[in-house]
Amino acid sequence: MRRIFYMLAVAVIAVVSSCRNDDVVIPPTPEDTGKPSVKGKVVGMYVLNEGVMGFNKATLDYLDLSAYGLTVQYMRNIYPSRNPDDVKELGDVGNDVKVYGSKLWMVINCSNKVVVASVADCRRQGQVDIPNCRYLAFHDGYAYVSSYVGPVDRSQDSPLGSVYKVDTTSLSIVGRVDVGYQPDEMAVLDGKLYVANSGGYRAPNYDRTVSVIDLATFREERKIDVDINLFRCKADKYGQLWVSSRGDTYDVPSRLYWLRKDQSGRMEKAGCINHNVSDYCIVGDSLYFIAAEWSSIMMDNTISYGIVNVRTHELVSQTLSSAPELAAVEMPYGIIVNPYERDFYVMDAKNYLSSGELLHFKADGSFDWKVSTGDIPGHAAFVFKDEKK
């Protein structure tokens, strides 16, 4: 099956209009990159745009790489036309998107839900109601969703966060375990779920731990002390965890840590790279990162890019590309790297209020093309050839 989202009939407008009580939803118009379609294992990519909080503007875009005989096409805001009966569309603040099997999972943070759709056509299959949900991880037929539990409220009285366990077939919640305060990204490694706790609502009394959950019993075993305001958490092929700290924008800088098992087999903090990291993607031995560090003193962002060798724990490159297009990025907000070809995509959130951009770079760092996205693009998930039905 070819994912040609842009071949929609004009008649769809009338159908959508009747389903929406006269709110006409216009089918998305493709943006042609001018580049020939790709014949590889990666056939497409979903991009989740956060949208400004409170404006109910989370949107989903799709990059079609594999349309036979055509050029690479980018489709903006595909969800409404695919789901005309879903009046509220996606909702408020898209926080994570992942593909698992034949399903596409989207975390819509302030709308307190995880929307599940078909990977093949983006048609909604259901939703899971989870308060202040944040990030996704998957293992053995279950989805794990981190949750701040309480509402958006920066207060010392905010409750402990939780991780919810969801059956990916029935979409029912089958378990919940409390972790640290305001848990964010998670990673599965050797039968354990590692959860980066931020404590972001409780500043300056941030959390500084990674929760260790045993997946067999679904209980928190212990916490690993790392640093304040943890955020990202990803595993590499060497059995290590890479966890980022956002610091406090004043006295404590953001850093990147690696954790690995000690002689007793317990995961522990092992080292630190003194560099800000906002988002990163690990492919092979390389950790590709983007960084936008806000200084409350300078009242400005410092933007940088680079590559860390996860085997040697060295910062091996302080750039991803010398192309002027990368230097012109206003606010790098997300990065994803093709695990096979090593070409990569950078998401530019611009001023957080208007349409962003998606930029594509070849494996050697040379600029290839860019397109306009929805508001605040920050999360993406590849669609692979063997996931097509």
Side-chain angles (χ1 to χ4, degrees):
M1 171 184 169
R2 302 186 182 96
R3 298 171 202 286
I4 309 178
F5 285 105
Y6 44 90
M7 294 182 66
L8 294 171
V10 175
V12 172
I13 298 177
V15 175
V16 171
S17 177
S18 62
C19 294
R20 293 271 181 142
N21 297 322
D22 298 328
D23 289 335
V24 176
V25 178
I26 300 174
T29 302
E31 182 170 350
D32 192 339
T33 67
K35 302 294 180 177
S37 58
V38 178
K39 295 180 180 179
K41 293 184 178 180
V42 177
V43 297
M45 184 175 75
Y46 285 101
V47 176
L48 183 63
N49 304 290
E50 291 189 0
V52 180
M53 182 180 291
F55 284 78
N56 206 52
K57 287 186 65 178
T59 59
L60 184 71
D61 301 346
Y62 184 74
L63 175 69
D64 192 338
L65 295 167
S66 65
Y68 181 75
L70 299 172
T71 52
V72 173
Q73 303 281 320
Y74 192 78
M75 299 292 297
R76 284 184 291 276
N77 196 19
I78 65 170
Y79 188 82
S81 60
R82 292 286 166 170
N83 301 278
D85 293 327
D86 194 351
V87 178
K88 293 184 179 180
E89 298 179 12
L90 284 178
D92 194 12
V93 188
N95 210 76
D96 195 14
V97 60
K98 282 184 170 58
V99 169
Y100 187 71
S102 62
K103 293 185 176 72
L104 176 71
W105 295 67
M106 294 166 280
V107 174
I108 313 300
N109 173 222
C110 291
S111 290
N112 306 304
K113 64 182 180 180
V114 179
V115 177
V116 183
S118 165
V119 173
D121 57 15
C122 193
R123 296 192 185 279
R124 177 189 169 99
Q125 296 188 353
Q127 79 176 42
V128 187
D129 296 325
I130 295 176
N132 209 338
C133 40
R134 299 290 294 178
Y135 288 94
L136 291 157
F138 296 91
H139 184 69
D140 283 350
Y142 293 100
Y144 297 92
V145 185
S146 60
S147 164
Y148 283 9
V149 177
V152 178
D153 179 19
R154 297 184 179 277
S155 168
Q156 298 298 315
D157 296 327
S158 58
L160 280 172
S162 295
V163 172
Y164 289 77
K165 183 177 181 180
V166 180
D167 186 303
T168 58
T169 300
S170 66
L171 304 186
S172 58
I173 296 173
V174 296
R176 171 184 168 181
V177 60
D178 289 341
V179 286
Y181 291 101
Q182 289 80 64
D184 276 316
E185 206 167 56
M186 305 168 289
V188 175
L189 189 62
D190 298 331
K192 311 288 185 185
L193 180 68
Y194 295 90
V195 186
N197 300 307
S198 71
Y201 286 175
R202 297 165 55 83
N205 299 313
Y206 295 100
D207 203 321
R208 52 180 298 122
T209 64
V210 171
S211 289
V212 183
I213 297 173
D214 177 65
L215 290 179
T217 61
F218 200 50
R219 293 181 178 179
E220 184 190 53
E221 293 183 335
R222 63 190 182 98
K223 290 184 171 74
I224 306 169
D225 183 81
V226 180
D227 200 349
I228 67 167
N229 201 7
L230 303 181
F231 184 30
R232 302 289 183 185
C233 181
K234 302 181 191 294
D236 68 21
K237 68 177 184 179
Y238 297 107
Q240 301 175 122
L241 288 174
W242 291 83
V243 181
S244 66
S245 162
R246 286 176 286 203
D248 64 2
T249 75
Y250 288 98
D251 302 316
V252 181
S254 55
R255 299 184 178 96
L256 179 65
Y257 292 87
W258 74 88
L259 287 66
R260 63 186 173 198
K261 291 182 180 179
D262 60 18
Q263 293 182 344
S264 68
R266 287 163 57 95
M267 188 69 73
E268 300 291 354
K269 181 171 70 175
C272 170
I273 293 175
N274 288 308
H275 199 291
N276 172 46
V277 173
S278 304
D279 191 19
Y280 53 95
C281 186
I282 301 174
V283 174
D285 284 356
S286 298
L287 182 153
Y288 298 73
F289 71 83
I290 59 174
E293 183 169 24
W294 173 258
S295 170
S296 297
I297 299 174
M298 301 297 294
M299 298 299 291
D300 199 5
N301 285 293
T302 299
I303 294 173
S304 58
Y305 307 87
I307 298 175
V308 172
N309 185 305
V310 297
R311 181 178 60 84
T312 64
H313 311 113
E314 295 177 329
L315 180 63
V316 296
S317 175
Q318 297 191 52
T319 184
L320 295 176
S321 169
S322 59
E325 289 82 0
L326 185 65
V329 168
E330 187 174 347
M331 179 49 60
Y333 204 65
I335 183 171
I336 188 169
V337 183
N338 183 327
Y340 300 104
E341 306 299 331
R342 304 294 182 98
D343 55 310
F344 60 93
Y345 302 81
V346 173
M347 289 159 264
D348 184 359
K350 297 295 185 181
N351 61 2
Y352 295 113
L353 298 173
S354 56
S355 296
E357 285 185 336
L358 178 72
L359 296 88
H360 180 243
F361 297 85
K362 297 178 181 179
D364 62 3
S366 59
F367 174 73
D368 194 19
W369 50 260
K370 66 179 179 179
V371 293
S372 297
T373 66
D375 297 354
I376 316 180
H379 315 278
F382 286 124
V383 178
F384 299 100
K385 189 174 183 179
D386 57 4
E387 290 167 338
K388 298 178 71 175
K389 303 298 182 184

